[in-house]
């Protein structure tokens, strides 16, 4: 009986090891094949590539403006319209 159990355990162990090595080999094959296809295959054009490029250009433009200390594009020096909404003392309202 002991020899039978030894043989059964041996077969189970060899089957498990062979299965794991086969799985590992197949995964290596799949990754290698997909990597090769990705290198060979031409990149497809993204459906919104033009829009994405516009966003990148705008971000680059804003980034270049960010470090200019003399650039102020959010107000005009002669524009005093913000003063209309400024709080005034009660005596000036009358």
């Amino acid at each position: 009986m002991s020899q039978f159990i030894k043989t059964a355990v041996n077969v189970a162990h060899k089957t498990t090891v062979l299965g794991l090595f086969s799985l590992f080999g197949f995964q290596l094959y799949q990754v290698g094949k997909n990597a090769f296809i990705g290198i060979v295959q031409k990149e497809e054009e993204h459906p919104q590539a033009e829009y994405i490029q516009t966003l990148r250009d705008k971000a680059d433009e804003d980034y270049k403006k960010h470090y200019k200390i003399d650039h102020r594009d959010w107000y005009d020096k002669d524009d005093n319209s913000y003063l209309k909404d400024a709080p005034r003392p009660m005596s000036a309202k009358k």
Side-chain angles (χ1 to χ4, degrees):
M1 188 71 171
S2 174
Q3 185 64 27
F4 176 73
I5 294 175
K6 244 184 182 178
T7 305
V9 170
N10 248 352
V11 168
H13 180 260
K14 287 180 182 180
T15 303
T16 304
V17 169
L18 180 65
L20 290 175
F21 278 136
S22 299
L23 180 65
F24 179 71
F26 184 66
Q27 291 296 323
L28 279 178
Y29 164 73
Q30 283 183 328
V31 169
K33 181 182 74 164
N34 289 338
F36 181 72
I37 288 173
I39 292 170
V40 173
Q41 186 179 17
K42 184 178 76 170
E43 281 191 38
E44 293 182 15
E45 184 72 21
H46 192 275
Q48 296 177 338
E50 188 175 324
Y51 176 69
I52 292 170
Q53 188 59 42
T54 305
L55 291 177
R56 285 182 181 149
D57 293 342
K58 185 66 175 168
D60 287 342
E61 179 184 324
D62 288 345
Y63 182 76
K64 288 176 186 170
K65 287 181 188 178
H66 180 73
Y67 291 106
K68 283 185 170 180
I69 59 172
D70 62 338
H71 185 299
R72 303 282 190 256
D73 64 352
W74 59 84
Y75 72 90
D76 184 18
K77 289 182 182 179
D78 299 328
D79 184 17
N80 293 330
S81 64
Y82 68 94
L83 293 174
K84 287 190 275 184
D85 297 329
R88 288 179 258 159
M90 293 298 282
S91 61
K93 288 185 179 179
K94 290 182 180 181

